[in-house]
Amino acid sequence: MKLLKGSLKRRREQLGISQADVAEGICHQSLLSRIERTDEISNITVLQQLCARLQLRVSSVAKINELTVTPLTVIRYFIDIGQFEQAANRLESSTLLRRLPVFALPEYNLLRARIALSQNQTTVAMQLLQIALGDAEKHQMELMIEIYTEMGATWAKQGEYVYASEYFERACGLIKGYRPTMRSELGKVIAHTYYHQSELYLTINDPEKARDRITKALAVLPTNEHFHQIVKLQKLRVKCCEQLSLLKEKAEAKMLIYAAAEFSKDINLQDDVKKYLEELETN
């Protein structure tokens, strides 16, 4: 069976774990190495077990039925499109937690924190992020970027802008440590960090810096299937342009919001952005 190119390796590296850790009790490390190298696997059971350990959707790497257990990547998807109630319900599954590998616990608590923050439970969010930070290994750099970013967002929501800025800078410091070629693989994570940093700049009345961060976020975010993120970024770009009186760029951002929603095929998102097209038509 042919797998999506680099899918297993990419997720393993995202979690910051070795081939031996992933393969333990499932298959020989050399087999996993060959699977990652060739993106081919003949044993579906082994694939299901590897995906379960990596907390990865089977359907995201191959065209077969999903596991009965909801992996963390599914929960991430619901958070990314703003369906926090769906994400919360799935995170509460006792089966999920029972079968969660130890190395995935920091990500689990990070996602719980993102849900808590969406509900304005800032104290709960910070506690969960502290747990995630304590459990994360130093080599799980991508996860550390996410944790620092959410800590910054949590401090910002509490009005503690100095602390927020400090944690965003920590996240950006880790981003700068990656080679430019590797940064492209972290596009979604980097864009998320820049989005929250841009929000902070707008809050403290520095729209020029906010606009710069949005521009950089849009430049690194992969356009394929990240339409909800594009809409979020362009909405923030509209706010920046309003404060800077950039009318032409503001109109362009509104048009891109509408276009991204149309490409998404998400009816809820399309309904949410209709006002931007209506504003363009009336101006």
Side-chain angles (χ1 to χ4, degrees):
M1 177 182 295
K2 195 70 177 174
L3 305 180
L4 185 64
K5 186 177 180 181
S7 51
L8 288 183
K9 182 180 180 182
R10 173 77 188 97
R11 176 60 174 166
R12 178 176 64 77
E13 290 178 343
Q14 181 186 44
L15 291 169
I17 55 178
S18 67
Q19 288 181 338
D21 288 333
V22 176
E24 184 179 3
I26 297 175
C27 64
H28 197 277
Q29 182 181 340
S30 61
L31 174 59
L32 177 57
S33 177
R34 184 165 71 249
I35 293 169
E36 288 188 355
R37 188 174 63 255
T38 64
D39 292 306
E40 290 186 356
I41 188 170
S42 58
N43 191 318
I44 292 180
T45 301
V46 169
L47 176 61
Q48 290 177 317
Q49 291 174 337
L50 290 173
C51 286
R53 180 156 291 173
L54 290 168
Q55 285 296 290
L56 183 67
R57 293 181 71 172
V58 179
S59 62
S60 69
V61 300
K63 293 183 178 180
I64 62 176
N65 291 334
E66 291 283 0
L67 294 173
T68 55
V69 177
T70 302
L72 296 182
T73 48
V74 176
I75 295 164
R76 273 185 178 274
Y77 168 75
F78 284 118
I79 291 174
D80 287 343
I81 65 174
Q83 293 187 13
F84 293 101
E85 188 174 342
Q86 277 267 38
N89 289 338
R90 290 171 183 253
L91 267 178
E92 290 171 2
S93 166
S94 58
T95 307
L96 168 64
L97 187 56
R98 189 165 58 248
R99 295 185 59 178
L100 203 65
V102 173
F103 58 75
L105 283 173
E107 184 180 15
Y108 170 78
N109 283 312
L110 166 69
L111 298 180
R112 289 177 66 200
R114 288 186 65 179
I115 292 169
L117 189 59
S118 74
Q119 300 167 338
N120 292 317
Q121 298 176 3
T122 54
T123 302
V124 173
M126 189 61 79
Q127 289 172 345
L128 290 168
L129 289 167
Q130 291 286 359
I131 294 170
L133 185 63
D135 290 340
E137 299 290 341
K138 290 183 178 179
H139 58 270
Q140 292 180 297
M141 298 297 288
E142 186 171 339
L143 187 62
M144 296 287 282
I145 292 170
E146 290 188 273
I147 293 171
Y148 284 145
T149 296
E150 295 307 320
M151 282 183 161
T154 304
W155 280 121
K157 191 158 258 189
Q158 293 176 325
E160 299 285 354
Y161 303 132
V162 173
Y163 289 135
S165 179
E166 177 186 333
Y167 278 96
F168 289 142
E169 287 302 322
R170 288 189 187 186
C172 289
L174 293 178
I175 290 168
K176 290 175 183 175
Y178 280 89
R179 296 192 303 273
T181 53
M182 291 187 68
R183 283 182 212 166
S184 62
E185 297 181 359
L186 298 175
K188 185 178 174 183
V189 172
I190 295 173
H192 184 66
T193 298
Y194 288 171
Y195 170 82
H196 279 299
Q197 198 171 29
S198 179
E199 277 192 318
L200 176 63
Y201 285 138
L202 268 183
T203 301
I204 61 177
N205 298 315
D206 195 340
E208 193 63 60
K209 279 188 177 181
R211 176 170 165 262
D212 176 68
R213 277 303 181 197
I214 288 296
T215 301
K216 289 180 178 177
L218 288 166
V220 299
L221 181 68
T223 56
N224 187 31
E225 296 184 1
H226 292 299
F227 303 116
H228 287 78
Q229 286 71 32
I230 291 172
V231 167
K232 280 179 61 177
L233 289 165
Q234 293 291 358
K235 282 182 176 180
L236 207 53
R237 185 183 173 202
V238 167
K239 293 180 180 180
C240 294
C241 291
E242 286 174 345
Q243 292 194 26
L244 294 167
S245 300
L246 301 173
L247 301 183
K248 186 177 179 180
E249 186 177 334
K250 176 183 173 182
E252 177 189 273
K254 287 182 177 181
M255 183 58 73
L256 290 171
I257 288 170
Y258 181 75
E262 286 296 299
F263 278 115
S264 75
K265 308 298 183 184
D266 185 324
I267 295 175
N268 292 327
L269 185 62
Q270 291 170 356
D271 287 341
D272 181 56
V273 306
K274 276 183 180 177
K275 66 175 184 178
Y276 291 98
L277 183 63
E278 292 169 357
E279 289 171 2
L280 285 170
E281 291 174 342
T282 56
N283 291 336

